[in-house]
Amino acid sequence: SAGPRSRALFERAKAVIPGGVNSPVRAYRAVGGTPLFLAKGEGAHFEDADGRRYLDFVCSWGPLILGHAHPEVLAAVAAAAGSGMTFGAPCAGEIDLAEAVVARYPGLEQVRFVSSGTEATMSAIRLARGATGRDLIVKFAGCYHGHADHLLVSAGSGLVTFGRPSSAGVPAPFAELTRVLPLDDEAALDALFAAEGSRIATVIVEPVPANNGLLLQRLEFLRHLRALTARAGALLIFDEVISGFRVARGGAAELYGITPDLATFGKILGGGMPVGAFGGRRELMRHLAPEGDVYQAGTLSGNPVAMAAGIATLGILERERAWEELEELGGYLEQALAPAFAAAPFPVQLVRQGSLFWMSLQAGAPPRRADAIASGAAALYKAIFHGLLARGIALAPSAYEVGFLSLAHRPEHLDQLAKALGEVFAELAGERG
């Protein structure tokens, strides 16, 4: 449980910040208890405000692929900040990072920087609508694309459904232009395109859905999606905010050999700073102002400090052959956890793609769609989460968020996680017995 300093800080925060947090999942509502307030990070560990040290598998929800406070990234940020935090004007760093992104990602010719993943997806959808002259957008239940109004919609009971707001403050007419489909269902996709294909501007998907569990998709489904959108004249957007520069050098597009029309990025791209980006072919990107009539802007977009962090991070990943190393680390994690999982008093299996991992707390094949996740998973995860936290290991405070490996993690850290999980499972077995 949180120490006295974290508890005192949370009380102060609740007075001046809604719910005491600046992003909802941080409040520990899903797992109970008081959130840890963090004070310092180094490598694969962080310290909370009470000076307690934890092995970190949250990695700031994905950006810290090099671990906390990588000295080269810190040096790059300090040097850039020393010359000025922001200019609201062009700087050389923007070109350097844009060239690095374009060189890495399949089919990308131009990219524009923003300050968050939400901004990136919001802007990519506006661009898709502007470029196609169509209004409808399609998303999948269980894929999260940030908190723009038209994306905060959830599926109803039918296979093909009109979007319904899943947040107060989103007018129904906004959501009515969004269609929501289940993942892993070609028939539902075909039915929607048969009915409304000529009105669909874009389909946005996380090619590696990692915001509602790790719902790994069949390659055939993603290929079908690519073919269907191309035939209908709709644009395919890959939301690679989590998967970009993590599951492969060129993200899921490289991993699966599928080139989307537009892609969105964040997290790793900023190296720990707030950075997002969206990009695609030049013929699409020319619709953006000042060349075209799709407006998008941002005072802090492309600021030199954030660009420096991103350039340093991508450079280190390249130099360290990061994706090979992270795949090896992920393989080691599978082996390390296998004995604990086999002895667990309930079904549990590891779902993994490279350095992304998630515990599926149910029998049978791991789920590929949101409505296939067992309803009892959250209560079980709550006990696992607190059992690990008591042993100095931090996973995300939600059963539906994924875990992250970084280059700072070593095999002994994964052994530590396996040992702790074994102990927690044994405790839970005793309680059940």
Side-chain angles (χ1 to χ4, degrees):
S1 64
R5 178 95 177 114
S6 277
R7 291 199 297 272
L9 287 169
F10 193 43
E11 288 307 309
R12 279 180 57 200
K14 284 189 287 187
V16 288
I17 299 170
V21 292
N22 282 303
S23 193
V25 76
R26 300 177 190 176
Y28 279 29
R29 294 284 176 89
V31 291
T34 300
L36 302 182
F37 278 66
L38 306 190
K40 182 182 178 183
E42 184 179 8
H45 295 84
F46 63 70
E47 274 184 25
D48 69 10
D50 290 278
R52 297 172 178 171
R53 193 165 182 260
Y54 297 84
L55 178 56
D56 179 21
F57 291 103
V58 185
C59 297
S60 187
W61 310 92
L64 301 181
I65 196 168
L66 305 177
H68 292 272
H70 191 287
E72 286 182 54
V73 177
L74 293 184
V77 166
S83 298
M85 299 282 281
T86 176
F87 303 116
C91 67
E94 294 173 288
I95 311 167
D96 293 336
L97 187 54
E99 287 173 345
V101 174
V102 166
R104 283 161 175 75
Y105 196 82
L108 212 62
E109 292 179 328
Q110 291 190 322
V111 66
R112 181 165 280 182
F113 293 112
V114 291
S115 296
S116 69
T118 287
E119 270 188 82
T121 57
M122 179 182 78
S123 304
I125 284 172
R126 181 181 299 159
L127 173 58
R129 282 172 158 157
T132 61
R134 301 174 180 183
D135 290 338
L136 293 187
I137 63 174
V138 182
K139 74 175 290 284
F140 294 91
C143 286
Y144 174 71
H145 305 290
H147 58 88
D149 285 346
H150 50 273
L151 293 170
L152 279 180
V153 297
S154 59
S157 56
L159 282 180
V160 179
T161 179
F162 288 87
R164 298 181 318 197
S166 54
S167 168
V170 177
F174 283 29
E176 284 165 9
L177 292 173
T178 302
R179 302 290 180 264
V180 184
L181 293 178
L183 287 162
D184 192 40
D185 189 335
E186 286 91 337
L189 201 52
D190 289 342
L192 177 63
F193 270 81
E196 299 189 288
S198 63
R199 297 180 59 210
I200 294 171
T202 184
V203 178
I204 185 167
V205 66
E206 287 179 275
V208 182
N211 273 292
N212 199 91
L214 187 56
L215 305 175
L216 299 180
Q217 296 302 294
R218 291 175 293 114
L219 183 56
E220 295 78 14
F221 175 73
L222 294 172
R223 283 178 175 160
H224 187 74
L225 180 56
R226 173 66 285 187
L228 196 59
T229 48
R231 272 204 308 276
L235 301 182
L236 177 61
I237 301 174
F238 270 8
D239 179 347
E240 298 238 33
V241 169
I242 288 179
S243 55
F245 318 109
R246 178 172 283 280
V247 298
R249 180 178 186 265
E254 178 190 309
L255 183 70
Y256 295 134
I258 297 172
T259 303
D261 299 296
L262 295 168
T264 64
F265 308 100
K267 300 200 185 278
I268 287 168
L269 181 65
M273 297 290 290
V275 181
F278 63 104
R281 299 187 302 279
R282 193 171 281 104
E283 62 170 284
L284 293 174
M285 298 301 284
R286 69 177 174 80
H287 289 277
L288 284 172
E291 285 188 73
D293 55 4
V294 175
Y295 190 74
Q296 179 276 324
T299 299
L300 295 177
S301 297
N303 80 82
V305 181
M307 298 296 98
I311 293 161
T313 298
L314 293 188
I316 294 164
L317 291 175
E318 198 87 20
R319 185 187 75 211
E320 301 293 330
R321 301 167 65 100
W323 301 282
E324 290 175 34
E325 185 169 333
L326 287 167
E327 177 57 39
E328 284 182 25
L329 210 55
Y332 188 94
L333 178 67
E334 285 185 24
Q335 291 179 325
L337 293 182
F341 281 18
F346 41 75
V348 56
Q349 51 193 318
L350 190 73
V351 184
R352 182 180 71 86
Q353 181 67 71
S355 56
L356 293 169
F357 68 93
W358 179 63
M359 284 188 290
S360 174
L361 298 168
Q362 62 194 71
R368 287 198 291 257
R369 42 193 279 178
D371 59 6
I373 298 175
S375 58
L380 192 52
Y381 183 82
K382 180 177 179 177
I384 296 169
F385 170 83
H386 284 289
L388 289 177
L389 206 60
R391 290 165 173 81
I393 296 176
L395 292 185
S398 164
Y400 305 107
E401 299 286 353
V402 299
F404 297 92
L405 299 177
S406 75
L407 289 183
H409 286 102
R410 303 269 41 94
E412 54 266 30
H413 296 138
L414 309 187
D415 290 334
Q416 187 182 337
L417 173 61
K419 179 175 180 289
L421 269 174
E423 292 173 3
V424 171
F425 291 165
E427 273 184 11
L428 292 173
E431 288 172 16
R432 289 175 166 225

